[in-house]
Amino acid sequence: MGATYDDLLAVARRTEETGFDAFFRSDHYLTMGGDGLPGPTDAWVTLAGLARETSRIRLGTLMTAATFRLPGPLAISVAQVDQMSGGRVEFGVGAGWYRTEHTAYGIPFPELGERFDRYEEQLAVITGLWSTPPGETFDFSGRYYPVSGSPALPKPVQDGGIPVIIGGKGAKRTPRLAARYGAEFNVPFESAEENARLFAGVGEACAEAGRDPASLVLSSALVVCVGKDDAELARRAAEIGRDVDDLRAHGVAGTPAEAVDTLGRYAEAGASRVYLQVLDLSDLDHLDLVAGEVAPQLG
């Protein structure tokens, strides 16, 4: 939402060096706060570069906006980045929600119902293209994205295909889509209690679809702001324009011990993965602190 490729590369490399499992990035073309300088970077262009400049960490989006790209070309791009990374890609995708970035860059923004209809068709097309056996063709008789005679190439390279992450807080369609297409269901920026409620809802959707709920990974996304002491915490919160008390209430914030306690509550709610949103990309010492004093205590 305002970074250079070099900024993102520095964070990804430190992520890999300090033992984190993955580097995920958002998919936005406009900032939601601040001046947005030096401007946005494209998610899949960025990840293609990082695929060649990292070697271990998983790479993905949380979440790619279905409104930004046609499903066929998107399937090609993601599969290609999977090849470029040696099979380390995960694909988070959502319906798109931020109207202002669409009008700022001339991207059509239908009403919510149509966006979800298009999103569901995109999931069908992308997963259908990836799963079509080599040598066969793929067809899809959709309202928005009809496909005919596609060679369905290129293919992902990782065993089992590219994991699809479905995220959101919707009560009906989102859990149903996660149960049908998702390897993982993610809840963004909510309390542990709300995570538990939404996890239960997607579990019910899996059961209704005849799928074992235990086969779906459950995850949470939270802003992270950790300091060795109150002064360091306050400095980091000020740098990202956030209130310390609000961060403590709604994110992973405080001392390392407080962060561990918070993450424990999300684990108890059912999350087996947590995505920590870093808002100050220049503060690599922050990553070092979380890697050195929080992660080792999580077991």
Side-chain angles (χ1 to χ4, degrees), residues 22-208:
F23 174 87
F24 275 64
R25 58 155 296 161
S26 61
D27 189 16
H28 285 294
Y29 290 136
L30 207 65
T31 186
M32 291 141 212
D35 58 21
L37 294 173
T41 51
D42 181 85
W44 288 101
V45 171
T46 300
L47 292 170
L50 296 178
R52 307 302 293 177
E53 299 197 76
T54 59
S55 61
R56 179 187 59 80
I57 50 174
R58 306 287 291 176
L59 299 167
T61 48
L62 210 66
M63 299 285 190
T64 283
T67 48
F68 287 177
R69 304 167 184 88
L70 297 172
L74 180 56
I76 292 170
S77 295
V78 178
Q80 184 177 7
V81 177
D82 191 52
Q83 292 179 356
M84 293 168 70
S85 69
R88 292 184 285 127
V89 162
E90 303 192 17
F91 178 56
V93 60
W97 63 272
Y98 189 26
R99 180 184 294 273
T100 306
E101 69 185 338
H102 291 74
T103 56
Y105 286 97
I107 303 168
F109 188 73
E111 293 304 311
L112 181 61
E114 183 179 331
R115 291 205 310 278
F116 260 87
D117 290 343
R118 289 177 175 270
Y119 174 38
E120 184 164 2
E121 284 198 15
Q122 286 218 358
L123 285 165
V125 170
I126 292 169
T127 58
L129 289 168
W130 288 341
S131 61
T132 298
E136 297 184 14
T137 58
F138 174 74
D139 298 278
F140 178 74
S141 58
R143 175 181 178 185
Y144 300 104
Y145 306 111
V147 177
S148 178
S150 174
L153 298 171
K155 299 299 186 191
V157 299
Q158 60 187 297
D159 292 340
I162 295 172
V164 175
I165 306 169
I166 307 294
K169 308 171 190 178
K172 294 181 179 179
R173 294 189 75 172
T174 300
R176 180 171 59 79
L177 292 175
R180 182 173 182 182
Y181 295 106
E184 179 176 335
F185 173 68
N186 177 265
V187 177
F189 312 113
E190 285 290 350
S191 67
E193 293 76 17
E194 184 66 2
N195 272 250
R197 186 186 71 80
L198 292 167
F199 291 157
V202 79
E204 292 172 2
C206 285
E208 291 171 2

Side-chain angles (χ1 to χ4, degrees), residues 205-218:
C206 285
E208 291 171 2
R211 176 178 178 178
D212 179 4
S215 68
L216 186 68
V217 174
L218 303 176

Side-chain angles (χ1 to χ4, degrees), residues 255-271:
T255 64
E258 288 178 287
V260 171
D261 288 344
T262 298
L263 291 168
R265 291 197 296 274
Y266 282 85
E268 291 172 359

